[in-house]
Amino acid sequence: MSEVGNPPLLQVRDLKKYFPVRGGLLHRVTAQVRAVDGVDFEIGHGRTLGLVGESGCGKSTLGRAILRLHEPTSGQVLLEGVDFTALDRKALVAERRRVQIIFQDPFASLSPRRTVAQIIREPLDVHRIGTPDERAHRVLELLDVVGMGPEVRDRYPHEFSGGQRQRIGIARALALSPKFIVADEPVSALDVSVQSQVLNLIAKLKREHGIAFLFISHDLAVIQHVSDEIGVMYLGRIVERAAVDDLYREPKHPYTRALLSAIPVPDPNRKSQPVVLFGDVPSPMNPPSGCPFHTRCPEAMAICSERRPPVIDVGSDGHTHDVACHLFSPAP
């Protein structure tokens, strides 16, 4: 959601990513895994959209499809009006300077054979930005931004803790001064005490550099801390999206209410009653007809298994609150 009068930085329109399943002697396509199945949203300049959902719902695949690390099956990704999905290889390399990603595992995403300086400088080398001296100076600037000193530049990733390695990954993502970053569960592999340091760093980058984020996580407490808006994803689709305060105060979709009810309450005198969802998450290779959540929904109706619910804006007082649920759909 962008501010009134300002065009959004990023627009995602009906984005889909299907993975073919092959089998038989001829290795033919026998089915499709619908990892991302028609997603729409937008992110304004300097804003953060938190994306939350159960493991396997397609969050990481969506983030990678936006950057074309996975080629989308269909749909559009517009960054300031430029359609990423229509760019050829040469044009894509140039445009990728404006978008970056922070990976979940800070050890696996850093080359063990390169020093910290080489890792951070690599994007500058690839895009041939600046002289060797200017690149070396930029490395020191980025280390300072993420709270690390110049003495670490000649060390290797295995010499650092998980939090320090993630800071190095963030410094690399900032090297080209991007406008948009996909943060793919950037703190899930870290200790709780280190998580807060990395989250505060990301909040500082957003505040001081105006970077927009798609922040992917399964932790609702983390999402609430860093996001302006939240999108709730289930089986490849966003079923609810709203400003963070609106969604936590008044969740609409039964799946969102179930997720929020599972958050521990730090008050021994206050009893919480989690909403129990029965059954397993359906396979994205064979999703249910109609609403994908109807097989587990405690409020499912007959229409839920027959028709896919449209996205309805149920917000008030000028606030957008999108929900895909027949409970809020107008009567046919």
Side-chain angles (χ1 to χ4, degrees):
M1 229 174 288
S2 60
E3 296 181 9
V4 177
N6 295 326
L9 172 70
L10 180 80
Q11 294 173 285
V12 176
R13 298 175 178 171
D14 196 25
L15 191 66
K16 298 180 181 179
K17 176 58 185 177
Y18 297 169
F19 293 97
V21 177
R22 299 179 183 273
L25 294 175
L26 299 178
H27 204 54
R28 290 176 176 170
V29 176
T30 58
Q32 299 276 358
V33 176
R34 301 182 179 186
V36 178
D37 196 17
V39 169
D40 296 271
F41 65 83
E42 60 186 41
I43 301 177
H45 292 262
R47 305 279 289 178
T48 297
L49 173 65
L51 193 62
V52 68
E54 294 172 288
S55 296
C57 70
K59 304 186 300 296
S60 295
T61 302
L62 173 60
R64 290 167 182 256
I66 290 171
L67 304 183
R68 283 183 62 181
L69 297 179
H70 292 319
E71 283 294 335
T73 302
S74 63
Q76 285 185 306
V77 177
L78 304 174
L79 184 72
E80 294 186 316
V82 176
D83 187 356
F84 256 53
T85 59
L87 298 176
D88 59 27
R89 184 177 180 82
K90 182 177 180 181
L92 179 62
V93 170
E95 286 294 329
R96 270 190 173 151
R97 291 175 55 176
R98 301 195 292 159
V99 297
Q100 291 294 319
I101 184 169
I102 302 170
F103 293 97
Q104 178 178 358
D105 187 344
F107 190 73
S109 62
L110 303 178
S111 172
R113 298 172 181 267
R114 290 175 174 264
T115 65
V116 170
Q118 290 171 331
I119 289 170
I120 298 175
R121 197 183 64 226
E122 185 177 14
L124 304 173
D125 295 337
V126 169
H127 291 274
R128 300 176 181 177
I129 296 175
T131 65
D133 287 343
E134 288 171 339
R135 295 174 192 175
H137 181 68
R138 177 65 173 158
V139 168
L140 296 180
E141 284 183 340
L142 291 166
L143 286 173
D144 182 63
V145 167
V146 299
M148 302 184 77
E151 68 277 0
V152 307
R153 58 186 169 182
D154 295 322
R155 294 165 60 184
Y156 290 86
H158 72 271
E159 300 179 66
F160 298 94
S161 67
Q164 289 173 318
R165 284 195 291 263
Q166 195 62 287
R167 287 173 182 267
I168 295 167
I170 293 173
R172 179 180 59 184
L174 295 174
L176 298 175
S177 301
K179 294 187 175 183
F180 171 68
I181 293 178
V182 173
D184 186 7
E185 304 218 30
V187 298
S188 63
L190 307 178
D191 293 336
V192 174
S193 59
V194 181
Q195 285 185 12
S196 61
Q197 299 174 16
V198 175
L199 291 173
N200 289 335
L201 172 59
I202 290 175
K204 177 183 177 183
L205 295 174
K206 171 188 165 183
R207 183 174 63 252
E208 296 183 357
H209 298 270
I211 300 171
F213 284 88
L214 175 64
F215 193 100
I216 298 169
S217 179
H218 62 274
D219 189 326
L220 283 158
V222 168
I223 285 287
Q224 184 179 22
H225 179 70
V226 301
S227 303
D228 299 298
E229 301 171 68
I230 295 178
V232 180
M233 197 165 182
Y234 184 81
L235 211 63
R237 300 171 184 172
I238 291 181
V239 297
E240 185 168 2
R241 181 169 66 96
V244 59
D245 292 339
D246 292 342
L247 188 133
Y248 275 78
R249 182 179 62 252
E250 196 172 357
K252 303 294 186 181
H253 199 281
Y255 179 60
T256 307
R257 294 202 294 266
L259 291 179
L260 292 177
S261 72
I263 299 177
V265 178
D267 184 351
N269 298 317
R270 182 180 168 189
K271 299 292 184 180
S272 61
Q273 294 182 334
V275 177
V276 179
L277 298 179
F278 296 97
D280 297 325
V281 180
S283 169
M285 191 164 60
N286 186 27
S289 60
C291 175
F293 186 58
H294 84 264
T295 58
R296 305 172 70 201
C297 182
E299 302 180 57
M301 303 174 290
I303 193 175
C304 298
S305 62
E306 300 168 0
R307 291 172 51 190
R308 178 174 176 174
V311 177
I312 304 294
D313 184 0
V314 296
S316 59
D317 299 326
H319 297 285
T320 299
H321 192 139
D322 292 335
V323 60
C325 180
H326 283 300
L327 292 172
F328 302 93
S329 300

